Amino acid sequence: MRIHLIQLFEETVSKYPQKTAVIDKDRSVTFSDLRQKAIETAATIALKDIPQNKPIGVFLDKSVESVYADLGILYAGDFYMNLDIKTPAERIKNILQLVEPAAIISTSIQIKSIATVIPDNVKLILLDELGREEEEERRREGEKELGERRATVIDTDPSCIINTSGSTGTPKGVVLNHKSFFDFIDWAVETFRFGDDLVMGSLSPIVFDIYSFELCMLMAKASTLVVLPAHLAAFPAKILEVLEKHQVNFLFWVPTIMVNIANMDLLSAFRLESLRTVWFAGEVFPTKQYNYWHHHLPQVTFANLYGPIEITLDCTYYIINKEIPDEEPLPIGYPCRNTDILILDDEDRLVAEPGVEGELCVRGTSLAMGYYNNPEKTAIAFVQNPLNKAYPELIYRTGDIVCLNDEGLIMFKGRKDNIVKHMGYRTDLGEIEHVIINTLKLVKNGCIVYNHDEKQITLFYEAPEEIPVPQFRMEIGKVLPKYMIPTVYHRLEQLQRNTNGKIDRLFYKKEVNK
């Protein structure tokens, strides 16, 4: 019986000890060597008298070190919380005060940027200060205790915390457990028939749930993780060079970088002949840019996945197996196995008719355990299933509005909080955005937000030069009613992104509602 994710890793190491586990620029590490470094880290955690089943922060850039740090935390029977080294110290302070990790793993150089905000009771493990002479002794001392620690772990114990933005400025720590990752891994492997030959082009930051999935595939299927450094996001051609060099055959990306690659027509120069499967999730992928990828890479299976961080990875998927016109949105598809999707109207009644909108709610093993040290917000988002009065059963309310199409596919319509009353009309800001970017193709990227005080619909957009407001209004007015035409327009060279590579809508909401 599988209880702990490290069980998967131990099986993989026994089968493929000399296979390459991680490629990090000009460095690589085998599964056997990766295990040794993880054990060393885990033994250090144990020898510092850090109890098991505690959160441990990781303050490292994405690298071989971050991989074995996370694995080491799991070996020790604890759970990891990856932190973004580019995040301002004040935000890190807020996270540390909320989560209260038992320790932080970092290096003597990287820890300096947050040294002043680390509470005194948080222990530090600095990888570059672990003495070489102590390594063998540490492993010998730690091996026995680590086994004893893991023996008491159960599958509903936490495996990681992933921080997500909070409306108050303090991130919420989403707690995911071993069992939910097992469930998603099994679904992924069976649905996409993944073998032991996966080579993953890892672009997501370590704070994102996609990275945690890649870590799971490394453990479960001996998948090789090819680290794509964060700075390469500004140089898409360099990313494609790395993919070709290492014969990457699997990608799981947020669409932003894929849109940029399409807009730059880079797939005309890079054939990516090894690529076989591409997943994308996290935001809407404009169909025009998706079609560019599809037409240039006919050998690839593309899948649109959907799910907030409060679901372990994703809860719906759509394997795109037909031509979809540029002006039509991509479906988010069907529920993943062992996941139930409830579409509820404003009175918590089940919506089943095509075209009728409701809030997407989720029940099943995939649900997160809640927000760490935050029972109030947990109780708001994770609620009793209103359709079940017989026994306790939690569902997660996503706040996303969806409907079924005539084929029974789930279609994403927008955020519940993106729907406003404007000039007396119920107005979906996401629909305006879709029309401007996908239907009219007036700009490549844009963000619609609402100024509640001034009652103004505001568009922030990316363009090399200013587009005259009359031109905007005339073109949009051909498709949308007058009340849905934005009032205010702001041109930017580049829209601000958050850590996950998505457009930072919260930032622009705050900008217009100061």
Side-chain angles (χ1 to χ4, degrees):
M1 180 180 177
R2 299 177 309 174
I3 293 174
H4 194 292
L5 288 169
I6 286 298
Q7 290 176 267
L8 299 178
F9 187 58
E10 286 286 294
E11 293 169 7
T12 288
V13 174
S14 67
K15 287 193 288 186
Y16 303 102
Q18 298 309 310
K19 184 179 179 182
T20 299
V22 182
I23 297 172
D24 178 11
K25 297 184 279 295
D26 58 349
R27 299 188 299 161
S28 65
V29 61
T30 66
F31 278 95
S32 177
D33 290 341
L34 186 62
R35 179 185 184 275
Q36 286 187 359
K37 298 298 290 185
I39 289 289
E40 176 191 343
T41 305
T44 302
I45 292 170
L47 293 173
K48 282 186 174 287
D49 296 322
I50 296 169
Q52 68 183 79
N53 212 22
K54 293 292 182 182
I56 296 179
V58 176
F59 192 72
L60 296 166
D61 55 3
K62 188 165 73 172
S63 58
V64 170
E65 288 73 19
S66 67
V67 173
Y68 73 68
D70 287 341
L71 293 176
I73 292 167
L74 293 175
Y75 263 111
D78 295 299
F79 50 103
Y80 65 85
M81 176 180 69
N82 292 331
L83 300 166
D84 184 3
I85 61 171
K86 299 187 295 299
T87 294
E90 191 61 29
R91 182 177 171 87
I92 296 291
K93 178 182 178 181
N94 291 339
I95 294 173
L96 298 182
Q97 287 179 340
L98 177 66
V99 175
E100 300 176 339
I104 294 176
I105 298 175
S106 187
T107 66
S108 56
I109 294 176
Q110 289 177 317
I111 201 69
K112 289 179 181 178
S113 64
I114 60 168
T116 59
V117 302
I118 299 175
D120 294 337
N121 62 338
V122 175
K123 298 178 181 180
L124 296 183
I125 298 174
L126 303 179
L127 298 179
D128 54 331
E129 293 185 2
L130 299 182
R132 290 181 178 274
E133 296 178 0
E134 303 169 6
E135 289 178 5
E136 285 300 325
E137 181 182 355
R138 181 178 294 114
R139 279 197 289 273
R140 285 196 300 271
E141 290 181 15
E143 282 273 7
K144 182 178 179 182
E145 182 177 349
L146 296 179
E148 293 171 352
R149 288 165 70 106
R150 291 199 309 279
T152 59
V153 171
I154 62 175
D155 62 2
T156 52
D157 281 339
S159 59
C160 66
I161 290 178
I162 297 177
N163 290 297
T164 184
S165 297
S167 58
T168 62
T170 298
K172 295 174 291 187
V174 179
V175 187
L176 304 176
N177 62 32
H178 295 269
K179 183 178 181 179
S180 62
F181 274 110
F182 280 132
D183 199 53
F184 190 83
I185 293 167
D186 287 346
W187 166 81
V189 170
E190 291 177 16
T191 303
F192 291 85
R193 299 180 181 177
F194 290 137
D196 295 349
D197 60 347
L198 225 57
V199 181
M200 307 177 293
S202 178
L203 185 62
S204 291
I206 66 171
V207 298
F208 200 31
D209 56 355
I210 290 177
Y211 175 83
S212 288
F213 171 70
E214 292 166 342
L215 191 67
C216 285
M217 291 301 289
L218 178 149
M219 288 189 278
K221 298 299 292 182
S223 303
T224 299
L225 190 151
V226 179
V227 174
L228 301 173
H231 72 273
L232 287 186
F235 307 98
K238 293 290 185 182
I239 292 177
L240 299 183
E241 285 180 10
V242 176
L243 300 186
E244 289 197 332
K245 176 181 178 181
H246 296 295
Q247 298 181 320
V248 167
N249 55 29
F250 174 73
L251 301 178
F252 188 5
W253 285 359
V254 172
T256 300
I257 185 66
M258 300 176 72
V259 170
N260 291 341
I261 288 170
N263 291 340
M264 298 169 71
D265 189 24
L266 291 178
L267 296 184
S268 294
F270 296 90
R271 305 298 296 273
L272 303 184
E273 292 178 352
S274 297
L275 197 57
R276 290 294 176 267
T277 309
V278 173
W279 290 3
F280 49 90
E283 62 187 14
V284 174
F285 193 177
T287 308
K288 178 184 178 182
Q289 281 79 9
Y290 158 73
N291 281 331
Y292 172 88
W293 278 75
H294 167 59
H295 293 145
H296 278 78
L297 303 172
Q299 82 280 8
V300 171
T301 297
F302 290 92
N304 185 19
L305 278 70
Y306 160 89
I309 293 176
E310 288 82 357
I311 309 300
T312 305
L313 275 302
D314 292 291
C315 55
T316 75
Y317 73 107
Y318 180 60
I319 298 174
I320 308 171
N321 54 12
K322 65 177 183 178
E323 295 293 325
I324 300 179
D326 287 357
E327 62 275 8
E328 292 185 13
L330 298 174
I332 60 173
Y334 305 102
C336 297
R337 189 199 63 185
N338 200 32
T339 296
D340 190 23
I341 299 299
L342 309 175
I343 303 176
L344 302 179
D345 66 14
D346 291 338
E347 297 181 6
D348 283 340
R349 294 173 304 194
L350 195 62
V351 172
E353 300 80 14
V356 180
E357 296 181 3
E359 181 182 5
L360 189 151
C361 302
V362 188
R363 71 183 187 101
T365 301
S366 63
L367 263 62
M369 301 170 72
Y371 303 120
Y372 199 80
N373 278 345
N374 204 331
E376 295 83 7
K377 288 186 176 177
T378 297
I380 293 171
F382 297 86
V383 302
Q384 172 65 26
N385 180 359
L387 305 179
N388 180 3
K389 307 296 184 184
Y391 54 85
E393 180 186 46
L394 292 183
I395 64 171
Y396 174 69
R397 306 195 76 118
T398 67
D400 288 334
I401 302 299
V402 300
C403 71
L404 298 176
N405 68 8
D406 292 335
E407 301 174 53
L409 292 164
I410 303 169
M411 306 297 297
F412 178 80
K413 305 300 289 187
R415 286 289 300 165
K416 193 172 184 179
D417 54 14
N418 257 11
I419 296 174
V420 300
K421 264 296 184 70
H422 177 64
M423 296 176 63
Y425 294 92
R426 183 179 182 272
T427 303
D428 185 342
L429 303 182
E431 181 182 358
I432 303 171
E433 204 171 280
H434 178 79
V435 165
I436 292 171
I437 298 170
N438 301 324
T439 305
L440 298 174
K441 302 177 178 63
L442 297 176
V443 297
K444 293 179 180 178
N445 283 306
C447 176
I448 292 281
V449 292
Y450 193 66
N451 184 326
H452 290 274
D453 292 334
E454 302 295 331
K455 307 296 182 187
Q456 293 175 333
I457 298 173
T458 302
L459 169 65
F460 292 88
Y461 66 94
E462 288 180 3
E465 55 187 44
E466 203 89 27
I467 299 174
V469 171
Q471 180 181 338
F472 263 127
R473 296 183 63 84
M474 180 182 68
E475 294 296 326
I476 298 170
K478 294 177 181 177
V479 181
L480 295 176
K482 186 176 181 180
Y483 70 86
M484 294 182 75
I485 299 175
T487 314
V488 180
Y489 301 79
H490 296 287
R491 184 194 75 86
L492 299 167
E493 290 290 337
Q494 188 170 12
L495 290 168
Q496 180 153 321
R497 263 57 173 198
N498 58 26
T499 304
N500 299 333
K502 303 177 188 179
I503 293 172
D504 194 341
R505 299 178 188 281
L506 184 59
F507 171 82
Y508 292 108
K509 286 179 183 178
K510 290 179 178 178
E511 282 292 297
V512 301
N513 288 288
K514 286 180 178 178

